[in-house]
Amino acid sequence: GVSMGVLQLIYLFGFFGLGIKAAIFPFHKWLPMASVAPTPVTALLHAVAVVNSGVFAVTRLTYYVFDPQILKGTAAQNICLAVVSFNIVFAAVQAVRERHFKRRLAYSTVANLSYMLYGIMLLSDAGLQAGMSHMVFHGVTKIALFMCAGAFMHVTGDKYIYEINGVGKRMPVTFALYTIGSLSLIGIPLFCGFVSKWALFTAGGEDGSPFAIAGIVALIIGAFLTALYTLSVTFRAYMPMNGTDRYAGSRVSDANWKMLLPIGVFTAAVLVFGIYPAPIMEFLSRIAAGVI
């Protein structure tokens, strides 16, 4: 048989190898750089398809190739939890610093992928359910946010945060929908982001190990930083400081209905899943328990 130490080493290579797709530090740089793609492509890339496949691969590796019971309490688990906890805070700080609208959302995705991995690396049914639910709810939320950024960039031709000052009066619908998505991303109740973040909190609390608690602290710091880097855009849009309104007298208006419709559909999903998450959560709990 292979010794436990070698098994853990093999697992860590697998975790970081597949984790490159989930933008784990220090392999996260590609994701913000990929935001040069057209917005629908970025939304798909950053919210659903590519990045979630990294989390999905780590989940398969952890639960189906290895045995979570064997990994639980090992150095390998602690290293993974430490790295994802660090990444949650690190990427959120990078998002606060970032001046490019879509790249700021991309750094937010880097952080949120580590939220999912945090749940999965708790190696419990509750953790797995929480990680998978965040995969679903973050995807819905982030698609809406990326499309709001895309609508702004398409209508104004601008792409930096400081260029948003005052545009909320000209594009009220776009930035109202953006704000709802932001509240979900922060984890405010009534929005789907709260449901999965609360599940991550409770799963971490049930675990109670020092590394799980460190993750909970990272989640709390991450939530504060998320509020900073998302709602600052809302405040700039609707309440620019005196003399900084770039759109006074301009002819910019909301995007056309073809652009607003998909944003509206995903924002509606954010609300529906936030108020009525039971069917999805039940389904995911059955997967986590191995019933399905």
Side-chain angles (χ1 to χ4, degrees), residues 14-121:
F15 178 84
F16 282 100
L18 297 168
I20 291 172
K21 244 197 171 65
I24 294 178
F25 181 87
F27 310 113
H28 62 285
K29 273 284 201 294
W30 66 271
L31 206 151
M33 287 164 69
S35 62
V36 294
T39 302
V41 180
T42 325
L44 192 66
L45 180 78
H46 284 157
V48 194
V50 176
V51 289
N52 276 0
S53 66
V55 177
F56 185 75
V58 170
T59 311
R60 300 280 298 189
L61 176 81
T62 310
Y63 283 83
Y64 298 100
V65 179
F66 287 78
D67 185 344
Q69 297 313 316
I70 294 173
L71 290 168
K72 205 162 173 63
T74 61
Q77 183 195 18
N78 293 340
I79 289 167
C80 295
L81 281 174
V83 168
V84 297
S85 300
F86 168 77
N87 204 29
I88 287 169
V89 177
F90 166 77
V93 169
Q94 294 294 93
V96 173
R97 286 179 58 226
E98 182 56 60
R99 292 281 166 266
H100 186 283
F101 197 178
K102 267 186 2 184
R103 271 204 296 275
R104 176 174 287 195
L105 294 175
Y107 272 116
S108 162
T109 302
V110 175
N112 276 277
L113 290 164
S114 282
Y115 283 68
M116 300 167 208
L117 290 173
Y118 168 73
I120 284 150
M121 287 317 301

Side-chain angles (χ1 to χ4, degrees), residues 154-208:
H154 176 78
V155 170
T156 62
D158 295 332
K159 50 186 181 287
Y160 289 95
I161 301 288
Y162 68 87
E163 295 173 320
I164 289 167
N165 288 5
V167 77
K169 298 184 184 76
R170 302 272 173 268
M171 302 179 70
V173 180
T174 308
F175 280 89
L177 296 172
Y178 169 86
T179 305
I180 292 171
S182 298
L183 294 172
S184 174
L185 204 62
I186 297 161
I188 305 293
L190 294 185
F191 305 101
C192 65
F194 167 75
V195 178
S196 52
K197 282 194 173 184
W198 183 253
L200 288 165
F201 267 106
T202 49
E206 280 170 26
D207 185 294

